[in-house]
Amino acid sequence: MFRIEAAELFVVRLPLKFRFETSFGVQTEKVVPLLILKGEGLEGVAEGVMELAPMYREETIAGALHLLRDVFLPRVLGRTFANPEAVNDALGTFRGNRMARAMVEMAAWDLWARTLGVPLGSLLGGRKTEVEVGVSLGIQADEAATVETVRQHVAQGYRRIKLKIKPGWDVQPVRAVREAFADIRLTVDANSAYTLADTARLRALDNYNLTYIEQPLAWDDLVDHAELQRRLNTPLCLDESVASAQDARKGLALGAGGVVNIKVGRVGGHAEARRVHDVAQAFGAPVWCGGMLESGIGRAHNIHLSTLPGFTLPGDTSSASRYWETDVIHEALEAEDGLMPVPAGPGTGVTLNREFVSRVAELHEERRA
């Protein structure tokens, strides 16, 4: 049992150390919403993965803040819960808005794990003390720059290289990288930039021994992905189009892909992420943990989720120092030779750098029962 007595909301803006280009556009900073749930002298912290504009999926930071203030937090503040699943039940009558709900659920998992004095990963059913990680590389200026960026990250030991692609920038960088690195584990991510009319272009990627092609078609589509998969030899990986375990079941049953990217925020929290993991295992489909340029809070949650046994492909949880001059946590989350240690200690094992967060916060609010 644990009690949620109060909550804090922060919104901070963190400049990225590099220019990150995808099919959505160019990103140079990340706006990070943080939720802290308090109870019994302890705190559980979660990070929202929604964005200012509805580019990746339909949720936005402004909408999430409204729901947290006026709808979700009033349902949980001042209440005692048996476990985080009961927190989910308290929010279960509301449709959609999984990223906003995930903030409450993930903070509850962290708080509950801290009250029990055990690591979050252990509560979820994980057993690993380190997880394999890869790196996600944005669109570069040209092929030479792409190869050089890949070279730097291969030298750092990352166990999978993912290239962002879009129409007009797909076969060229993949060919250049594969010619330079014949044996690396290589994938591409389209972020829904293609249609079935681009089948010939996507089929050309079959020549480059990719582990998978991630989310080439529409963010809310499974049927066309199934048709595309029938036309390709390379497995498709479902990302944006899987928002629940039911979506994963339908997509795998349809043959819409053979790999699933699990993002805990996208699917509504750890409980649903674990259900997606279990569905994928039932179909024999490997899963891996995707990233949304998270700060250390979201990154730590991702690492603990990745300790579950079905996460057999390297995830996006690369070293935090790639992204930020100063992170929102005190601990350094750094990979070595493509392995990320699981933070030790209760809950996520990381602690919020309150001095830094308070200093740079664009919004800070407190709520009590």
Side-chain angles (χ1 to χ4, degrees):
M1 306 284 283
F2 67 105
R3 182 173 175 81
I4 301 175
E5 299 165 354
E8 279 186 271
L9 278 169
F10 284 98
V11 176
V12 300
R13 188 182 300 263
L14 301 178
L16 284 165
K17 292 172 71 172
F18 54 87
R19 177 183 183 275
F20 189 63
E21 181 177 348
T22 71
S23 60
F24 295 136
V26 176
Q27 193 166 355
T28 58
E29 62 182 10
K30 181 69 188 293
V31 179
V32 181
L34 298 169
L35 173 65
I36 305 167
L37 296 181
K38 303 178 181 183
E40 303 173 40
L42 298 170
E43 296 181 348
V45 191
E47 175 176 342
V49 297
M50 68 291 295
E51 298 171 319
L52 291 173
M55 300 292 292
Y56 171 78
R57 280 194 62 100
E58 70 280 16
E59 292 184 66
T60 66
I61 291 173
L65 291 174
H66 157 66
L67 288 171
L68 288 167
R69 292 179 185 120
D70 299 336
V71 183
F72 296 161
L73 290 178
R75 290 290 185 108
V76 301
L77 289 176
R79 293 185 56 184
T80 298
F81 295 93
N83 51 47
E85 289 275 18
V87 175
N88 257 341
D89 292 342
L91 305 178
T93 57
F94 303 114
R95 296 185 181 183
N97 297 285
R98 291 178 179 273
M99 293 178 179
R101 283 192 286 156
M103 291 181 70
V104 181
E105 195 256 22
M106 292 166 68
W109 273 99
D110 187 25
L111 178 59
W112 189 45
R114 290 175 192 270
T115 65
L116 297 174
V118 299
L120 172 59
S122 297
L123 282 184
L124 295 173
R127 294 293 180 266
K128 302 171 190 173
T129 59
E130 57 188 9
V131 298
E132 277 196 306
V133 294
V135 67
S136 177
L137 303 178
I139 294 169
Q140 305 296 310
D142 53 35
E143 293 169 34
T146 302
V147 170
E148 178 56 29
T149 302
V150 170
R151 189 182 311 279
Q152 294 170 9
H153 289 87
V154 168
Q156 293 169 23
Y158 285 107
R159 302 196 173 192
R160 180 224 62 201
I161 300 294
K162 180 169 77 174
L163 303 178
K164 295 288 188 176
I165 61 171
K166 64 180 180 179
W169 183 253
D170 37 43
V171 176
Q172 314 95 299
V174 171
R175 180 193 300 119
V177 170
R178 185 51 87 197
E179 288 175 353
F181 303 96
D183 299 324
I184 63 170
R185 181 179 280 155
L186 184 62
T187 72
V188 295
D189 182 8
N191 289 117
S192 305
Y194 295 84
T195 71
L196 283 177
D198 300 302
T199 296
R201 195 75 180 169
L202 295 168
R203 188 183 287 134
L205 295 173
D206 277 341
N207 298 319
Y208 300 103
N209 189 28
L210 300 178
T211 305
Y212 51 79
I213 299 171
E214 187 177 351
Q215 196 70 36
L217 306 182
W219 67 274
D220 57 352
D221 168 75
L222 291 173
V223 173
D224 280 358
H225 275 98
E227 176 59 32
L228 179 63
Q229 183 67 92
R230 285 190 285 271
R231 302 178 186 184
L232 301 182
N233 295 322
T234 306
L236 297 182
C237 172
L238 299 174
D239 177 0
E240 286 95 321
S241 56
V242 172
S244 67
Q246 289 285 15
D247 288 341
R249 178 186 63 78
K250 293 170 185 176
L252 293 169
L254 284 170
V259 180
V260 178
N261 167 347
I262 300 180
K263 292 177 179 170
V264 60
R266 187 190 73 231
V267 302
H270 285 296
E272 191 67 13
R274 189 167 57 183
R275 285 188 279 269
V276 174
H277 163 276
D278 294 348
V279 167
Q281 279 204 308
F283 278 88
V287 302
W288 56 278
C289 186
M292 294 285 286
L293 301 179
E294 287 94 343
S295 75
I297 293 296
R299 197 168 298 271
H301 277 276
N302 289 345
I303 294 167
H304 280 276
L305 177 67
S306 300
T307 63
L308 290 171
F311 286 83
T312 56
L313 295 176
D316 278 343
T317 313
S318 54
S319 296
S321 61
R322 289 188 62 238
Y323 300 93
W324 323 115
E325 291 291 350
T326 304
D327 203 345
V328 302
I329 60 173
H330 291 288
E331 296 77 11
L333 300 180
E334 299 296 304
E336 184 174 348
D337 192 29
L339 292 171
M340 176 68 76
V342 179
T348 60
V350 300
T351 54
L352 193 66
N353 185 341
R354 276 188 167 273
E355 187 280 327
F356 171 70
V357 169
S358 297
R359 177 160 45 87
V360 302
E362 297 185 350
L363 177 145
H364 177 213
E365 299 178 0
E366 297 187 58
R367 291 284 191 275
R368 300 197 70 85

